[in-house]
Amino acid sequence: MVDHAQLRPLLTLGPKKDRYYVNLRLAAAYYDRYERLNDQQSLQYAKSCIDRALLLSRYSVDVLPLLVQINQALADVDAIRDAFKRTGIEAASRGKFDEALTLFDRWLSANAEFKRNDIHTFDADVIACVERMGALHRFSPRNTATENRKLRVAYLTHGLRQPGSVLVKIDRVFARLHDKSRFDIAYFAVDNPNDLSSSPDAQTAIADFRDSGCQFFVPPEKETTYERLLGVGQQIHDFGADVLVTSAALATFQNYLIASLRPAPVTIAFNQGSTPQFSWHSFDHTINWFLTTLPDCPSDCSHVPLELELPRKGEITPELHGQFTIPAGATILTTGGRWHKFQRPEFWHVMSELLTELPDLYWLVLGFDEDEVPFLNDIVTPEARQKIRFKNWGPDYLTYLAAADFVVDSYPMGGGVFLMEAMSMGLPVLSFHHDYVAYYRNDDCSGGEEIVGIEDLLIERSNFNELKQRIAMLVRDPDRRREFGEQCRRRVQENHSQPERMVQRCENIFECLHRERRARIQADGASPSGNSHESGFDEYKLLLLEQATILNNREGEIRRQEAQLNRHPLIKVIRHLRGGLHRLRVR
């Protein structure tokens, strides 16, 4: 360690740039000392110095790699997220829009990257910054009140390159079932064209969209991401979209930038999960598949239950394949979902107790590998561990699901298509109630209450004794299992298996919003500014201010470069020589 008296002259240097370099190097030195000696005081000093360096650098991305390392050691993910946010806002103010979008997406995914959880939150500062980036090229609202043609609906897709994406599956349902006599449908993507062309999943989805009688627009080739996104907005505008529907508006800020361009007079969000990933105040309307997401949705909303073409009992052949050795006659309990949905140790403790107490019970976990469970060996007994089978997602997951005797929903995050598929195959499903009064958290929620809807199969949150009793009852009573399985099958077939009905309900909402807008335009004397979110005087002022800020920053950067050049020794020599020549001419 170094005496603070030696550091004080360096930490109190006048020039900001010098203090920045001092703190950046001190942070690196202290962090190196922490890594070598595990000295916690050094880690705290590293934290102080790197925070100061970030401030003095005016939120430079050069500080981020070391800042992330230090805060990872401190398990301070909030500090990492804040740094991504601040550097992103600063990058946007300097006109570095590609950099800003990347940093905002890193802010968005920081919990998943560093905590391995799926928590998402709104941040008005980040969203407003992206909106200002879009305001620079926002489209003027079109007056379509007098046009007599089919309604044109543009869908902004998300997840085209993700294998088995549920969001793309839903998009394909709409593409196939839309009433083409009333609607012209087109799909748009934000992905890099080369990434789309090299992805088999994307190519399959694109072919399916086009085979369904819909247009699909590949993004234009551009030098920058920002220019490509502007190009997608232009494609939507040129299509003449009356309604833009976003699949996951804030799952990446590239999606939200396009929505902020307002290339269509009406913008609607599909809310298909955690609300901060799907909707915001700027949307004209949001359609929620589940009531759980509706209370906190910051726009006008409708509830349209999600409906899909579900597998039926007898259509899927049960198959565990050779890698699983489960004795014949055993009772198989199955759960499914990403690891993010299972991060409560109490749930695993209950399952371990049941597997130990019930000799015939085996547990099949679909969706992730045992290596992703950090506390597995600490909670699950060796005897219970021998009766758990893990299987990652794959195209054959339904054959594993069909081999189950009953299903228990994931906890603390539950619900979803997996439960619908299980119920449709006649499997009884245990799920959990949802707390509608509490503010929605993606790590403590369940749509299972809406899907299952059978009180005998619903458990109060955190009541693990009740969960244990219900599971034991289903294991010991095959007749009750079959009875509940039939109730589940009838319920899901009645409420969630008619996608044509879901599409028609959404079509009615599209038409209603379009009619309301046309009525406002006619009432205002053919002015298309009926939408309170469309360009107006206040947004024009905002656009001018944003342009002025970017120009001022660029001018400042040019002046800084000029000042550096003026201090260069060669420039001084040239000026001295020019002065000498001038004096000679005068003489």
Side-chain angles (χ1 to χ4, degrees), residues 6 116 193 233 300 315 319 351 461 472 498 503 509 544 576:
Q6 295 178 271
R116 299 182 66 205
D300 293 339
E315 292 180 346
E319 179 65 66
M351 300 302 291
R461 304 197 68 74
Q498 300 178 52
V503 173
I509 293 171
L544 292 178
H576 180 73

Side-chain angles (χ1 to χ4, degrees), residues 3-208:
D3 191 322
H4 288 184
Q6 295 178 271
L7 296 177
R8 185 174 63 189
L10 297 172
L11 291 168
T12 57
L13 290 169
K16 179 175 71 171
K17 183 178 180 181
D18 293 343
R19 278 182 286 127
Y20 159 64
Y21 283 126
V22 165
N23 279 280
L24 187 63
R25 285 165 172 75
L26 274 176
Y30 278 124
Y31 183 69
D32 178 67
R33 191 173 194 277
Y34 158 74
E35 282 197 313
R36 286 185 292 105
L37 304 178
N38 194 30
D39 178 60
Q40 294 299 314
Q41 183 62 62
S42 294
L43 182 59
Q44 293 298 327
Y45 281 146
K47 166 75 171 173
S48 298
C49 292
I50 200 65
D51 286 348
R52 194 178 292 128
L54 184 67
L55 172 67
L56 295 172
S57 70
R58 194 169 175 176
Y59 304 103
S60 168
V61 293
D62 297 336
V63 180
L64 288 179
L66 182 56
L67 182 145
V68 169
Q69 282 185 300
I70 292 169
N71 283 290
Q72 269 191 285
L74 289 163
D76 192 350
V77 177
D78 288 341
I80 296 174
R81 295 185 79 220
D82 188 67
F84 287 148
K85 169 184 169 178
R86 297 299 171 190
T87 51
I89 291 174
E90 180 63 27
S93 74
R94 295 175 181 272
K96 299 179 179 179
F97 294 157
D98 279 19
E99 187 175 285
L101 290 168
T102 298
L103 289 164
F104 289 153
D105 279 350
R106 290 205 69 188
W107 169 85
L108 192 70
S109 62
N111 280 327
E113 181 179 353
F114 300 109
K115 285 186 177 180
R116 299 182 66 205
N117 68 34
D118 211 18
I119 299 175
H120 298 280
T121 56
F122 290 116
D123 191 294
D125 296 333
V126 173
I127 294 172
C129 186
V130 177
E131 287 176 345
R132 288 195 295 271
M133 292 160 60
L136 293 171
H137 297 276
R138 185 164 296 157
F139 293 96
S140 299
R142 295 193 311 274
N143 186 350
T144 59
T146 59
E147 295 183 9
N148 186 18
R149 56 172 172 76
K150 291 190 285 187
L151 196 70
R152 294 177 184 170
V153 181
Y155 285 88
L156 186 62
T157 62
H158 180 81
L160 286 169
R161 294 179 288 125
Q162 296 173 7
S165 168
V166 173
L167 302 189
V168 174
K169 181 178 182 179
I170 294 170
D171 280 340
R172 291 162 78 170
V173 167
F174 274 82
R176 187 170 66 257
L177 298 178
H178 260 302
D179 183 350
K180 306 301 193 304
S181 68
R182 293 159 51 209
F183 297 89
D184 281 330
I185 308 297
Y187 286 82
F188 300 81
V190 303
D191 310 64
N192 186 296
N194 293 330
D195 293 337
L196 289 177
S197 62
S198 62
S199 167
D201 293 285
Q203 290 301 304
T204 299
I206 292 170
D208 193 44

Side-chain angles (χ1 to χ4, degrees), residues 40 83 153 162 317 500 506 525 536 584:
Q40 294 299 314
V153 181
Q162 296 173 7
T317 303
E500 300 90 350
C506 290
L584 287 173

Side-chain angles (χ1 to χ4, degrees), residues 517-559:
R517 181 179 181 275
R518 293 182 66 169
R520 287 196 302 268
I521 292 173
Q522 291 169 348
D524 293 341
S527 170
S529 59
N531 184 336
S532 62
H533 301 303
E534 288 175 349
S535 298
F537 183 65
D538 289 340
E539 290 188 348
Y540 180 67
K541 289 192 295 183
L542 179 68
L543 185 148
L544 292 178
L545 287 171
E546 180 72 18
Q547 289 177 325
T549 301
I550 292 172
L551 290 174
N552 288 339
N553 284 328
R554 289 175 177 169
E555 182 181 5
E557 184 65 30
I558 291 170
R559 287 180 176 176

